[in-house]
Amino acid sequence: MCGIFGCIMKDGKVAPTIHAALKRLEYRGYDSVGEATIDDGKLYVKKDTGKIDEVHERCNLDDLPGRIGIGHTRWATHGAPFQVNAHPHFGCSDPPRIAVVHNGIIENFAELRKELEDAGHLFRSKTDTEVIPHLIEEMLNSRQFAATVNIDSEFINATIAAIGRLQGSYALAIVSTMDPGRIVCARNESPLVLGIADDALYFASDVTAFLPLTNKVIFVENGEFVVLGEDLLEIRRLADGNPISRKTKLVDWSPGMAEKQGYPHFMLKEIHEQPRCLRNTLRLQNKYLGLLPTFLDRAREVIMVACGTSYHACLAASYMFSKLSFLATYPVIASEFAEQHGKSVNIDSTILAVSQSGETADTLSAVETARQRAATILGLTNVVGSTLTRISRVYIGQQSGPEIGVAATKTFTSQLSVLSQLAIQLAKRRGKISQEEIDLLEEKIENIPDIVEGIIETQEEKMRALARKYKTKQSFFFLGRGISYATALEGSLKLMEIAYIPSLAFPAGESKHGPISLITQGFPVIFVCPPDETRRTVVGNIMEMKARGASIIAICEEDDEDIKKLVDDYVEIKRGIPGVLSPIPYVVPLQLFAYYMAIERGCDPDMPRNLAKSVTVK
Ligand code: AGP
């Protein structure tokens, strides 16, 4: 998730406005920043790695001439945070004539890049975005224009033709010395909003960027492009160029609310972002989806190391790798790794380290222990350029965008999506499950974002009601069998860390080996029970708890009438989700339950006491 912004002013210097707007968008990404303005037919650019204040200190982002410009604050997905990978990006011409900023993922960038390189284009960066200016140049050179857009500008027609070649998600903006008074923007999936003031026109990734300047907005929809100029604002459909008229809206958010896009807390915003993040994980580069399974396939032993929520993702992944790829993997809590495996890890070991931040000290320490004994290190992280990406032999980015809430939510489900894709790729390679099963899994994983979207839409109110009903309870059990044990652990951690309620998660089969002694009348027990191979025995566990007076909440499939009639409350998940993928949708109600329990108990979900977003101390 990056932040884009741009504007065209009636008079004055645009650079300070861009700089201030990017500061307001910094929460969307902060590993590099850049601006481009046009003045007197020339393009001026400043960009570098680092947070906005650091780059401003070095380059003075306010010192660019011109009344028209664009800017970008980056969260790296393709290409580590080096200056050359910072936006804006340019084509071949020197001095540059075209500058582009982009938020999203161009899925077909590798093919486009090869096509353009074969046509003689020279690329500077490793980003997917850089294909866009080169493509525009290629359209201009070969005079391929968008047949449907009869705007009096070859540059704009070539730009629309180039955008028509893009696949994937984008909110992008382009300026050029060839049409110095205009900005072209376009949107597919990644957010884009226009701001209208008397003396300027703005575009941005979200309202936060320009809210202090105007609250008159127009939201751009998917498949639309916009041409901004002095006293010019045209919205058209990319498919056929037809103009679209859309009324302005007045936004009554405070700047603080705008950063949360109207949500009361980042945690709730990030729970709601999961469908989009999950779609982004389905756009991983095949290169990496192929490379990691190669290492896993060859490994003599695979140990996964992580902490907290990331450890729960590893635990879930161990069931995926076992059931789909017939690969035994050992999830280990990172702080225990040295004690458990410090002597046995060796050159034949492969370590898969999972860390959203890529900076967790316990995880990095475990990796270092393994590296010293010549193990192969693989990484899964959300932060390209983090320490984990630098010490891994190969890493894969989960592309969730910054997660501001201390409690991991969208990054957990994104990790699970990536890990399940790795398990499926490995299953294909090993041929341990039928092609029919693989086809079904790949179809279902494509549906997961919509399923999660449906759960949020249909079950959020129910979770809020359940939080109200159970808010006085002083402790909870979270139970699951098989892969659902990982889901139960994650639900328990969420409730503990943001609502400060002691809760215990353990395999449902363990209940009779001790924990059931805690059950008294009305003791709340949450069961995660998808209709997988464990369901029959879970029903028995539910009966055990019920017989001792527990109040039972079940997260179960929508058709599961047997479980629904057994329990006190239930949350319905759409039917047909394979067990190995179930943690992704089944955890969402538990995230919402924890969030609303925190609200009911007057806790701050974004800033829970005693916790930090990234634990960089051992
Ligand atoms: C999860 O909600 C917590 N914030 C915490 O357990 C976290 O998952 C853990 O510290 C690991 O962080 P990492 O993924 O950045 O390594």
Side-chain angles (χ1 to χ4, degrees):
M1 181 164 82
C2 305
I4 69 170
F5 174 82
C7 72
I8 182 163
M9 305 168 82
K10 284 206 177 353
D11 53 34
K13 271 180 70 174
V14 74
T17 301
I18 296 175
H19 172 201
L22 292 177
K23 269 301 284 177
R24 292 190 282 270
L25 289 176
E26 195 163 27
Y27 77 91
R28 298 180 63 88
Y30 37 76
D31 61 48
S32 37
V33 65
E35 294 186 17
T37 62
I38 290 184
D39 185 50
D40 192 19
K42 290 194 186 68
L43 191 65
Y44 297 85
V45 180
K46 288 188 175 181
K47 66 177 189 174
D48 205 346
T49 53
K51 292 190 187 304
I52 293 174
D53 291 346
E54 293 162 0
V55 175
H56 179 57
E57 187 67 33
R58 286 200 298 271
C59 320
N60 186 0
L61 291 169
D62 295 343
D63 182 24
L64 286 167
R67 296 183 294 112
I68 181 170
I70 59 178
H72 184 276
T73 183
R74 185 171 185 243
W75 181 269
T77 53
H78 294 81
F82 298 130
Q83 199 265 1
V84 72
N85 290 330
H87 299 216
H89 286 286
F90 323 108
C92 292
S93 53
D94 188 13
R97 298 186 302 171
I98 300 171
V100 179
V101 292
H102 164 234
N103 171 33
I105 295 170
I106 305 298
E107 272 175 71
N108 61 333
F109 90 95
E111 305 96 86
L112 290 172
R113 179 168 177 142
K114 171 136 183 21
E115 180 189 317
L116 291 159
E117 284 173 332
D118 292 348
H121 289 258
L122 297 176
F123 282 75
R124 302 177 182 84
S125 79
K126 295 283 183 224
T127 66
D128 55 339
T129 304
E130 194 186 351
V131 298
I132 300 170
H134 289 280
L135 204 49
I136 296 170
E137 280 183 339
E138 191 56 28
M139 296 294 168
L140 284 165
N141 298 341
S142 56
R143 304 192 62 71
Q144 294 176 57
F145 300 127
T148 58
V149 179
N150 54 353
I151 291 178
D152 62 337
S153 156
E154 285 194 354
F155 160 66
I156 292 178
N157 282 280
T159 297
I160 303 311
I163 294 171
R165 295 284 313 276
L166 304 180
Q167 293 167 18
S169 59
Y170 52 79
L172 53 90
I174 303 122
V175 289
S176 172
T177 56
M178 291 177 276
D179 203 337
R182 291 197 250 189
I183 301 174
V184 182
C185 309
R187 179 201 175 176
N188 189 45
E189 288 196 23
S190 300
L192 185 65
V193 59
L194 307 176
I196 293 97
D198 297 339
D199 57 353
L201 289 174
Y202 309 103
F203 72 85
S205 296
D206 67 52
V207 173
T208 319
F210 53 67
L211 193 56
L213 305 167
T214 180
N215 68 344
K216 278 173 71 179
V217 305
I218 294 178
F219 290 94
V220 182
E221 303 297 339
N222 286 344
E224 295 177 348
F225 73 91
V226 184
V227 179
L228 294 177
E230 194 157 345
D231 297 326
L232 169 69
L233 189 164
E234 258 193 26
I235 303 177
R236 291 178 179 233
R237 241 198 313 270
L238 275 166
D240 53 23
N242 287 346
I244 292 165
S245 67
R246 186 159 298 136
K247 288 190 174 36
T248 56
K249 291 182 177 168
L250 290 182
V251 170
D252 58 359
W253 292 340
S254 67
M257 279 182 72
E259 209 172 17
K260 302 183 190 86
Q261 283 163 19
Y263 291 98
H265 298 100
F266 278 112
M267 182 179 174
L268 189 60
K269 172 173 170 279
E270 286 153 3
I271 289 172
H272 280 249
E273 273 178 0
Q274 290 182 110
R276 184 159 56 76
C277 294
L278 286 164
R279 290 187 185 99
N280 278 346
T281 62
L282 299 175
R283 296 188 173 109
L284 296 170
Q285 295 176 64
N286 291 331
K287 182 172 76 172
Y288 295 107
L289 273 181
L291 208 45
L292 262 79
T294 303
F295 281 97
L296 295 172
D297 194 21
R298 291 184 188 151
R300 295 284 291 276
E301 71 168 357
V302 178
I303 300 173
M304 295 187 274
V305 295
C307 301
T309 291
S310 296
Y311 169 74
H312 300 155
C314 292
L315 181 62
S318 68
Y319 290 88
M320 298 171 185
F321 284 121
S322 170
K323 286 171 173 291
L324 301 182
S325 324
F326 289 43
L327 172 75
T329 57
Y330 306 97
V332 174
I333 288 175
S335 54
E336 289 300 313
F337 176 79
E339 284 301 303
Q340 270 184 313
H341 297 273
K343 294 285 184 273
S344 57
V345 68
N346 59 57
I347 195 164
D348 294 327
S349 306
T350 295
I351 306 297
L352 175 54
V354 177
S355 173
Q356 183 285 124
S357 62
E359 300 297 348
T360 298
D362 288 331
T363 305
L364 297 179
S365 171
V367 167
E368 190 50 32
T369 301
R371 265 167 37 115
Q372 285 168 7
R373 296 177 66 87
T376 300
I377 307 300
L378 307 176
L380 166 56
T381 184
N382 189 33
V383 185
V384 175
S386 62
T387 303
L388 181 58
T389 59
R390 293 199 298 275
I391 61 178
S392 295
R393 173 87 179 274
V394 178
Y395 72 85
I396 193 163
Q398 60 186 76
Q399 303 179 128
S400 312
E403 186 171 62
I404 311 297
V406 166
T409 49
K410 64 177 184 173
T411 54
F412 176 61
T413 49
S414 292
Q415 285 170 345
L416 290 172
S417 176
V418 174
L419 290 162
S420 59
Q421 291 179 67
L422 293 176
I424 293 168
Q425 290 302 320
L426 192 52
K428 279 182 184 173
R429 183 184 293 268
R430 293 186 152 196
K432 295 291 187 184
I433 60 176
S434 70
Q435 189 56 49
E436 193 185 346
E437 283 177 289
I438 286 176
D439 293 346
L440 175 69
L441 282 165
E442 290 187 328
E443 178 207 331
K444 293 296 182 185
I445 206 164
E446 289 285 335
N447 297 341
I448 287 276
D450 292 343
I451 289 167
V452 168
E453 201 158 49
I455 292 167
I456 293 168
E457 282 167 4
T458 61
Q459 302 298 326
E460 179 165 10
E461 278 317 305
K462 173 142 209 181
M463 300 324 293
R464 190 203 299 252
L466 287 177
R468 211 167 286 135
K469 177 175 178 182
Y470 288 88
K471 72 177 183 181
T472 58
K473 297 297 182 183
Q474 294 310 306
S475 55
F476 282 75
F477 275 1
F478 286 77
L479 304 187
R481 275 182 179 262
I483 200 167
S484 295
Y485 169 40
T487 316
L489 278 167
E490 179 55 16
S492 169
L493 176 64
K494 288 287 114 15
L495 190 66
M496 282 193 286
E497 66 176 334
I498 64 164
Y500 314 143
I501 300 174
S503 66
L504 204 56
F506 52 88
E510 275 294 286
S511 310
K512 52 192 171 300
H513 300 286
I516 202 164
S517 65
L518 290 181
I519 300 299
T520 54
Q521 190 59 37
F523 188 105
V525 181
I526 297 177
F527 276 92
V528 181
C529 34
D532 59 13
E533 303 83 0
T534 69
R535 183 185 168 286
R536 188 180 48 76
T537 42
V538 167
V539 170
N541 299 136
I542 292 175
M543 302 292 282
E544 283 166 4
M545 291 292 176
K546 198 174 168 61
R548 289 160 179 80
S551 296
I552 297 171
I553 303 171
I555 317 293
C556 62
E557 191 175 72
E558 57 191 350
D559 293 347
D560 201 329
E561 299 310 323
D562 291 347
I563 285 190
K564 283 156 68 172
K565 67 178 181 235
L566 266 183
V567 299
D568 299 270
D569 297 284
Y570 54 81
V571 182
E572 296 176 287
I573 305 292
K574 196 165 174 49
R575 74 177 70 82
I577 295 157
V580 290
L581 301 179
S582 65
I584 302 174
Y586 279 67
V587 77
V588 175
L590 302 181
Q591 295 170 339
L592 290 166
F593 182 69
Y595 171 79
Y596 285 110
M597 281 296 261
I599 300 301
E600 287 294 331
R601 295 167 74 112
C603 305
D604 177 349
D606 284 343
M607 308 286 283
R609 66 186 181 209
N610 310 334
L611 294 178
K613 183 60 190 169
S614 175
V615 182
T616 54
V617 292
K618 280 203 266 188

